Amino acid sequence: MRKLLIPLFAMAVLTGCKTANISDGNTSVPINHDKAFSAAYKMIKADDLKKNLYVIASDAMEGRDTGSPGQKKAGEYIIDYYKSLGISHPKALNSFYQKVPSEFMKKRGGGNLPDSENILAFIEGSEKPEEIVVISAHYDHVGTKNGVVYNGADDDGSGTVAVMEIAKAFQQAKKAGKSPKRSILFLHVTGEEHGLFGSEYYSENPVFPLANTVVDLNIDMIGRDDPANRGKQYVYVIGSDMLSSQLKVINEAANKRTNNLELNYKYDDLNDPQQLYYRSDHYNFAKHNIPVAFFFDGIHEDYHKPTDDPEKIDYPLLEKRTQLIFTTAWDIANRVDRIVVDKK
């Protein structure tokens, strides 16, 4: 996650599985949690998250600074993973890459960053393929400083591997004959640490029309706990009721049916000094009036330090948080009606 740097204009923008019923305030929408869902859900495993994270956050990736050889190596690993699952890229692209040009970042304060890439994997919906559910995480970190590698295991290696694991679960369901009704875009963005550049570039050059984008579920740091929640089974959820009256309800219902984590809404307070609503990639969707939920574990003692290493991740808790996000995405992708945008 990027360090706190709030432009003034941003402050002005916003002062056991079974069939379950989710009340959205107007209707009761049945979401079928059948055998296909159950099998997919069980595919999300702490051991697999750990295996991928020990690669993504290894010294070999050199801290994954934007456009660096280490970040490109991490990107290749991510793409090879999707290929191994039989998941491809959007048809509109010739590859998994969406180039984010150096000039685009430079004009936004990115200094002399080299060209970089967003990575896009895609599962097409079976009934409403034109409607897109985005699951995002940034795969860059802050690189190497004075010869010391900043591995960024939590920031945002944890989000990166969670997106990969969620993709595996959806692909498992597809193989079992239960493709999501809406399409799922697994979006790994670059340049977050320098200024949310990858997600901004996507929002200005979308592969799918933003008008067809249903939601962005953004994952940035979900592998640790912060001092205020030490040892708790929790996750911060930010922004889920900023634009839609239904998204928070759906996420809470998904949570109750899964691991029943403590959902902490502390950072939904726009007066909170951390201003986290503006500090990760979901914001570049929210500013286009797309509902978002940002999943986060808090600011801990290893944030943006070389000690943010994979051995410090709470993998059972990472598994539970990933399962929650998968279930939320599943319910949004498979509900009858698209979630509403009814707040400003």
Side-chain angles (χ1 to χ4, degrees):
M1 186 181 66
R2 69 178 302 200
K3 288 188 176 180
L4 181 60
L5 181 62
I6 308 298
L8 292 178
F9 78 87
M11 293 297 294
V13 174
L14 292 168
T15 32
C17 299
K18 58 185 178 180
T19 299
N21 289 328
I22 299 174
S23 173
D24 62 14
N26 297 306
T27 59
S28 187
V29 182
I31 302 295
N32 186 19
H33 282 184
D34 55 13
K35 290 182 179 179
F37 168 84
S38 180
Y41 180 90
K42 291 175 183 177
M43 292 291 290
I44 297 172
K45 299 177 181 178
D47 286 347
D48 293 338
L49 289 158
K50 183 176 183 178
K51 177 182 176 181
N52 284 325
L53 187 52
Y54 264 82
V55 177
I56 293 293
S58 68
D59 286 351
M61 304 305 178
E62 301 173 341
R64 308 189 306 280
D65 197 8
T66 300
S68 68
Q71 191 204 30
K72 292 181 186 297
K73 182 183 289 188
E76 290 169 0
Y77 179 83
I78 294 166
I79 290 170
D80 286 344
Y81 176 86
Y82 285 122
K83 288 179 177 179
S84 74
L85 296 175
I87 298 174
S88 191
H89 51 78
K91 294 176 182 177
L93 299 178
N94 293 322
S95 72
F96 287 88
Y97 293 119
Q98 180 190 44
K99 181 180 176 181
V100 180
S102 174
E103 281 302 308
F104 178 88
M105 295 183 279
K106 186 176 182 179
K107 290 177 181 177
R108 288 156 178 79
N112 294 315
L113 290 172
D115 291 344
S116 191
E117 301 85 24
N118 293 330
I119 293 173
L120 287 71
F122 184 68
I123 294 178
E124 187 171 66
S126 59
E127 295 183 18
K128 300 182 179 184
E130 73 285 354
E131 295 187 14
I132 311 297
V133 173
V134 178
I135 305 174
S136 63
H138 71 92
Y139 73 109
D140 63 304
H141 193 51
V142 299
T144 299
K145 301 179 182 180
N146 300 317
V148 178
V149 178
Y150 286 60
N151 287 314
D154 195 28
D155 186 13
D156 186 28
S158 61
T160 299
V161 299
V163 173
M164 294 163 67
E165 199 75 356
I166 291 168
K168 181 181 70 175
F170 271 108
Q171 184 70 348
Q172 165 66 28
K174 179 180 177 180
K175 289 179 178 179
K178 184 70 174 182
S179 293
K181 292 180 180 179
R182 293 174 176 84
S183 296
I184 314 291
L185 176 64
F186 306 98
L187 177 62
H188 299 267
V189 291
T190 187
E192 192 270 357
E193 298 288 5
H194 291 278
L196 312 185
F197 296 139
S199 56
E200 183 177 9
Y201 186 82
Y202 180 86
S203 73
E204 294 186 10
N205 302 273
V207 175
F208 302 98
L210 294 184
N212 292 351
T213 301
V214 174
V215 71
D216 174 43
L217 304 179
N218 185 49
I219 314 171
D220 192 351
M221 299 175 58
I222 60 164
R224 299 279 297 272
D225 56 13
D226 66 5
N229 294 280
R230 195 108 297 158
K232 293 182 180 180
Q233 300 291 292
Y234 78 100
V235 66
Y236 290 105
V237 185
I238 302 170
S240 62
D241 65 351
M242 296 289 193
L243 294 169
S244 173
S245 62
Q246 295 175 338
L247 178 53
K248 183 176 182 178
V249 174
I250 292 168
N251 184 61
E252 287 185 343
N255 183 54
K256 288 178 181 177
R257 294 195 308 278
T258 54
N259 294 301
N260 203 24
L261 300 172
E262 177 185 334
L263 303 182
N264 191 316
Y265 298 107
K266 171 185 176 180
Y267 294 115
D268 270 351
D269 180 359
L270 295 180
N271 294 317
D272 186 271
Q274 294 289 344
Q275 293 293 295
L276 290 171
Y277 183 71
Y278 306 100
R279 289 175 56 187
S280 192
D281 294 296
H282 59 279
Y283 181 66
N284 281 316
F285 289 90
K287 71 183 186 183
H288 290 284
N289 221 33
I290 296 167
V292 301
F294 168 27
F295 298 88
F296 178 58
D297 60 24
I299 304 294
H300 52 71
E301 55 272 21
D302 294 310
Y303 170 66
H304 277 205
K305 294 181 180 178
T307 46
D308 182 8
D309 292 323
E311 61 266 23
K312 295 185 177 181
I313 297 295
D314 183 339
Y315 289 98
L317 184 53
L318 175 57
E319 175 187 284
K320 291 176 182 178
R321 290 165 171 165
T322 304
Q323 289 170 335
L324 166 61
I325 300 162
F326 166 69
T327 305
T328 302
W330 178 279
D331 291 351
I332 293 170
N334 290 301
R335 73 198 311 268
V336 174
D337 297 319
R338 174 175 174 167
I339 63 171
V340 298
V341 181
D342 56 0
K343 295 187 177 184
K344 299 291 184 181

